[in-house]
Amino acid sequence: MGRASEGNAGCNICVATLITGCITVIAPDGTVLNQVMLPEDPIVTNICFGGPDRRTAYITLSGAGQLVAMDWPEPGCRWRPLDRKGRAINRTPPSRRLPAGSTARTP
């Protein structure tokens, strides 16, 4: 997923909102909770979270061709790919997975 949206710890979705120049924070029930304006560029295209505590929002401003970083009040969720049934996909090759109960990698 290229990430036009990203979740945060409050189970909300943060969506890069084109033309309005903002990140829209949407609750699971669809309620718009907040709009964080980015007046530098109306073409906000992506958001993802990083940093040691995932409280840094990295946002692309495509009109200006910039990547900006800003502090975010809640940590972003760690992204995990899901299959069509919503189950987590383990992308680690079987040869690199830890055996059940093990704390050391197998050769």
Side-chain angles (χ1 to χ4, degrees):
M1 180 174 180
R3 297 291 226 298
S5 65
E6 175 79 49
N8 68 15
C11 295
N12 302 314
I13 299 294
C14 300
V15 180
T17 311
L18 288 170
I19 308 306
T20 60
C22 69
I23 299 295
T24 303
V25 182
I26 304 170
D29 68 1
T31 303
V32 173
L33 301 175
N34 192 12
Q35 288 191 308
V36 179
M37 300 305 294
L38 296 154
E40 301 90 4
D41 190 337
I43 306 175
V44 179
T45 52
N46 272 314
I47 179 171
C48 68
F49 294 99
D53 57 0
R54 294 186 310 277
R55 287 182 182 263
T56 303
Y58 294 96
I59 302 164
T60 56
L61 306 177
S62 290
Q66 293 180 325
L67 172 66
V68 297
M70 63 185 292
D71 293 334
W72 202 260
E74 292 183 301
C77 291
R78 177 173 285 147
W79 182 75
R80 293 198 174 121
L82 303 177
D83 67 13
R84 291 182 184 190
K85 294 183 180 180
R87 298 175 299 208
I89 297 171
N90 188 344
R91 296 210 176 191
T92 304
S95 62
R96 304 278 305 178
R97 293 183 193 157
L98 295 174
S102 175
T103 58
R105 286 210 175 269
T106 56

